[in-house]
Amino acid sequence: TDFTTILHEKGWTYGKSYDASRTVVEAAVQNNKHLKYIFDLHRDSLPYDKTTINIDGHSYATILFVIGAENKQYEKNLALATELHYLINDKMPGLSRGVITKEGPKSNGVYNQDLLETALLIEIGGYDNHLDELYRTIDIFADIFSSYYWDAEQVSK
């Protein structure tokens, strides 16, 4: 879905992006009862030196988890983000910059994370990161999340 076009069609500013995307996310959750996780991927607004780490001679885009603290289930979203943060840094120290919560008048505070208790906003790298750095990081994240997911599935059975 091209949310930039939706924003322009409605005459909305970038700050209304989550309003524009909400109906799409709601439909995904309602139409797929097997949907267990939602990842909203972004790039950070910080410069390259803050969003990049060198590990074993390769540069990676860092990961930052952002949790909206203005929804009633934010603690569950926070717990998932925190667990993934530790799993990532166990495998690749420093790749995850951590987990932050946002709330208050200058913040969305929800980020559509109220739609599923396992919804995460993940900032991967920043505006200056190169695609190869992003891909390396996504590969690591996918590997770690895959293990996390299958371990959780075995526990739930």
Side-chain angles (χ1 to χ4, degrees):
T1 303
D2 181 353
F3 295 112
T4 301
T5 298
I6 292 172
L7 290 171
H8 286 127
E9 288 172 353
K10 294 185 179 250
W12 290 353
T13 63
Y14 178 77
K16 299 279 276 179
S17 295
Y18 283 97
D19 293 331
S21 65
R22 188 169 184 87
T23 56
V24 173
V25 178
E26 284 175 327
V29 171
Q30 290 172 1
N31 295 330
N32 186 348
K33 298 301 177 195
H34 299 289
L35 186 66
K36 294 185 180 185
Y37 298 90
I38 297 172
F39 299 140
D40 183 3
L41 303 178
H42 290 246
R43 287 193 185 199
D44 202 327
S45 61
L46 294 176
Y48 187 81
D49 64 322
K50 304 287 187 207
T51 62
T52 310
I53 188 168
N54 190 294
I55 301 172
D56 295 330
H58 296 285
S59 58
Y60 292 82
T62 58
I63 295 173
L64 177 68
F65 295 93
V66 180
I67 302 299
E70 292 185 28
N71 77 77
K72 61 185 174 187
Q73 64 191 17
Y74 92 92
E75 285 127 351
K76 292 181 180 181
N77 303 102
L78 180 62
L80 172 61
T82 301
E83 187 166 358
L84 290 173
H85 159 72
Y86 284 117
L87 289 171
I88 291 165
N89 279 348
D90 282 348
K91 183 170 183 169
M92 303 285 284
L95 185 61
S96 175
R97 293 180 16 234
V99 181
I100 62 169
T101 57
K102 288 195 174 183
E103 61 186 318
K106 293 187 178 188
S107 168
N108 176 283
V110 177
Y111 305 107
N112 292 333
Q113 293 170 353
D114 59 323
L115 299 175
L116 198 64
E117 63 189 29
T118 52
L120 301 177
L121 190 166
I122 308 170
E123 294 189 350
I124 301 175
Y127 58 88
D128 280 336
N129 282 99
H130 306 283
L131 284 177
D132 58 333
E133 295 164 338
L134 298 166
Y135 291 149
R136 275 194 282 276
T137 298
I138 288 295
D139 286 346
I140 296 296
F141 177 80
D143 182 54
I144 291 168
F145 181 76
S146 177
S147 294
Y148 169 85
Y149 175 83
W150 290 114
D151 288 347
E153 281 294 298
Q154 288 176 354
V155 169
S156 69
K157 289 182 182 180

